[in-house]
């Protein structure tokens, strides 16, 4: 694998969303080339979730090291983003606007990764339903909030990572959601919802998954 050439820093950007301005952080690829675009969705804002979340940053930095330009928006009603939180009903519209912006900004980067944590997994899973199979290279769902929302099925190659001791969304609920889809779940022993003290391990799990992808 090509080694990262630098450690990029997050750059604030504003993106026009369907409910107004979307405050966003962009992290450039840490490689000399750009493999694609990664969109990272934050956890529940009603419980303090935003683009400053440590798992959001871990996913963005990991995907940057793998060659992606990562975008981490504050969805509607979060931080300085306009609009009102809608429990996942309209947030996929926001993420679709971010995707359109990134495609215009990086027309040569055709590969798209959808990544999310907790509530953000719902947003990305609903967005994925709208997109053609060849539009999305991969999905990464950490702590999917399957017991809190009407959660859709996801593609069979989705990387799902969940903590054994998740206190917000039980592992049992995730397995019950995954079982009818025959969807593998990576279970991290001794870990709660927020992966306290285990963010490095989370990054390594994503990197290992990418090592098995083509290209």
């Amino acid at each position: 694998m090509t080694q990262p050439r630098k450690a990029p820093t997050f750059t604030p950007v504003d993106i026009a969303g369907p409910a107004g301005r979307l405050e966003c952080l962009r992290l450039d690829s840490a490689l000399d080339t750009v493999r694609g675009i990664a969109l990272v969705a934050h956890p529940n804002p009603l419980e303090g979730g935003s683009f400053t979340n440590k798992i959001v940053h871990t996913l963005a930095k990991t995907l940057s090291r793998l060659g992606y330009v990562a975008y981490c928006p504050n969805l509607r009603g979060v931080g300085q983003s306009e609009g009102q939180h809608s429990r996942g009903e309209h947030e996929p519209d926001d993420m679709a606007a971010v995707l359109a912006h990134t495609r215009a900004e990086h027309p040569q980067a055709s590969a798209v990764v959808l990544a999310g944590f907790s509530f953000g997994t719902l947003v990305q899973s609903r967005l994925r339903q709208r997109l053609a199979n060849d539009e999305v290279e991969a999905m990464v769902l950490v702590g999917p909030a399957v017991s809190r929302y009407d959660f859709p099925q996801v593609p069979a190659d989705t990387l799902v990572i969940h903590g054994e001791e998740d206190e917000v969304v039980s592992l049992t609920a995730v397995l019950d959601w995954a079982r009818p889809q025959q969807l593998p779940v990576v279970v991290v022993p001794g870990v709660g919802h927020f992966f306290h003290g285990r963010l490095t391990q989370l990054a390594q799990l994503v990197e290992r998954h990418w090592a098995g992808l083509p290209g």
Side-chain angles (χ1 to χ4, degrees):
M1 180 183 296
T2 304
Q3 293 300 310
R5 58 181 171 80
K6 61 179 181 177
T9 56
F10 286 99
T11 301
V13 295
D14 284 343
I15 294 175
R21 170 198 178 198
L22 291 172
E23 181 185 28
C24 188
L25 296 176
R26 185 188 72 221
L27 190 64
D28 290 335
S29 168
L31 303 182
D32 290 325
T33 58
V34 174
R35 176 170 179 166
I37 296 161
L39 308 184
V40 186
H42 61 68
N44 190 349
L46 300 181
E47 298 172 358
S50 74
F51 65 18
T52 63
N53 176 266
K54 291 181 179 179
I55 290 180
V56 168
H57 283 208
T58 296
L59 290 172
K61 290 176 181 178
T62 303
L63 291 163
S64 169
R65 290 195 299 270
L66 292 166
Y68 296 86
V69 182
Y71 287 79
C72 310
N74 267 340
L75 301 169
R76 59 183 59 206
V78 182
Q80 298 302 311
S81 292
E82 297 175 336
Q84 293 184 336
H85 176 68
S86 67
R87 285 186 50 82
E89 181 178 356
H90 300 299
E91 281 80 0
D93 300 332
D94 298 340
M95 196 60 76
V98 176
L99 177 57
H101 174 91
T102 62
R103 282 174 165 165
E105 199 167 62
H106 306 279
Q108 78 289 356
S110 58
V112 174
V113 174
L114 302 180
F117 168 49
S118 198
F119 169 75
T121 65
L122 173 73
V123 175
Q124 299 292 43
S125 296
R126 288 183 173 176
L127 174 61
R128 180 66 182 84
Q129 290 184 304
R130 307 179 183 183
L131 303 175
N133 288 337
D134 60 358
E135 289 186 82
V136 179
E137 180 185 29
M139 286 187 72
V140 182
L141 306 181
V142 179
V146 298
S147 59
R148 291 187 155 201
Y149 306 96
D150 181 12
F151 213 96
Q153 293 189 352
V154 296
D157 59 355
T158 300
L159 174 60
V160 180
I161 304 174
H162 206 77
E164 177 193 20
E165 299 177 2
D166 193 311
E167 69 283 8
V168 176
V169 182
S170 72
L171 176 58
T172 298
V174 173
L175 293 175
D176 287 345
W177 164 75
R179 192 174 296 110
Q181 307 176 65
Q182 299 182 357
L183 181 68
V185 177
V186 178
V187 179
V188 185
V191 169
H193 191 63
F194 296 96
F195 281 74
H196 293 308
R198 306 286 281 276
L199 294 174
T200 298
Q201 185 178 18
L202 176 61
Q204 290 170 345
L205 288 170
V206 175
E207 289 169 348
R208 289 173 193 162
H209 180 79
W210 249 254
L213 294 179

